[in-house]
Amino acid sequence: MAAGPVTRLATVDVGASADAWAALGFTTTDGVIGLRNGAIRLVTDRAGLGAIGVTGIEAPTSADGLTITPVDDLSIADHPNGARSIDHVVVMTDSLDRTSAAIEASLGLERRRLRETYTVRQAFHRFADPIDAAAAGERGCILELVENLRTPHPEFWGLVVIVDDIDALHGAQPDLVAPPKTAVQPGRRIATVRREADLGTAVAFMTPSR
């Protein structure tokens, strides 16, 4: 069932404690971290990424085994660490082409780009931009598919959050946030969150696009 152009990311479910995310400078309200193009929901103590929620669909669906549920947009919050929005959610899959086709068929999100190197194959689908006035200028979240033949089935693997000042964040949390380094995306930098932060999934911070 194609959802059309109003398919926006609404939520990403993560298994982790609110205290762990709050310790890294996120504002959490009833287990929800509201960002400008989607929210992180801390739904269980069991580590890992669960379902994502999107607008524009009427019933739960599956894209090659990835669970997707209908959810309305949630409220946006300000965060002491300068977090603004979700740049991308990473999906690991044993078949890039199959999963990419399933996402397009289920959500109506066409594949924007295919990246192939000697070591990796990646595909990119983008959700529609947010419509909330408080999110003006923000882009829709990207689903970044990474092919890994050792992955038994497609799964949501991690996410990247855009922050205003990545150097300040690292300086304030050097034990939890690794030093920023050059990202694959031209002109941008990325800093991974250390396992000691216990956020329940792989998380990184990235500078805004220019």
Side-chain angles (χ1 to χ4, degrees):
M1 176 179 68
V6 294
T7 307
R8 298 185 303 275
L9 178 70
T11 57
V12 180
D13 290 351
V14 179
S17 74
D19 289 344
W21 285 77
L24 204 56
F26 288 94
T27 298
T28 64
T29 303
D30 297 327
V32 174
I33 300 170
L35 296 161
R36 298 178 191 178
N37 65 351
I40 296 167
R41 295 195 304 189
L42 307 175
V43 296
T44 176
D45 289 334
R46 183 178 179 181
L49 284 183
I52 62 171
V54 305
T55 67
I57 63 174
E58 298 179 355
T61 187
S62 172
D64 200 19
L66 300 169
T67 302
I68 301 165
T69 60
V71 178
D72 293 330
D73 292 316
L74 300 182
S75 60
I76 299 169
D78 293 324
H79 303 278
N81 62 9
R84 292 170 43 172
S85 56
I86 304 172
D87 187 80
H88 59 274
V89 174
V90 179
V91 174
M92 289 290 183
T93 176
D94 60 314
S95 173
L96 190 76
D97 296 327
R98 188 192 67 230
T99 304
S100 182
I103 287 172
E104 184 165 353
S106 298
L107 297 177
L109 303 177
E110 65 180 16
R111 187 167 73 185
R112 296 291 190 91
R113 186 164 68 92
L114 176 66
R115 178 174 180 261
E116 297 179 290
T117 71
Y118 289 112
T119 59
V120 68
R121 294 185 75 228
Q122 295 167 286
F124 303 87
H125 299 255
R126 185 186 288 276
F127 286 101
D129 295 342
I131 59 173
D132 193 300
E138 298 292 334
R139 298 297 308 275
C141 174
I142 294 169
L143 277 180
E144 177 184 308
L145 279 55
V146 180
E147 189 170 72
N148 183 340
L149 300 181
R150 293 175 294 180
T151 299
H153 53 79
E155 61 182 359
F156 296 113
W157 184 83
L159 56 90
V160 176
V161 176
I162 297 174
V163 291
D164 288 320
D165 191 333
I166 201 168
D167 294 302
L169 178 56
H170 166 65
Q173 302 272 13
D175 294 335
L176 299 180
V177 180
K181 61 182 181 180
T182 301
V184 172
Q185 297 85 344
R188 304 179 72 182
R189 293 187 299 151
I190 190 169
T192 57
V193 176
R194 304 186 195 276
R195 289 187 178 183
E196 289 80 2
D198 198 23
L199 298 188
T201 189
V203 177
F205 293 106
M206 183 177 280
T207 55
S209 58
R210 295 180 177 178

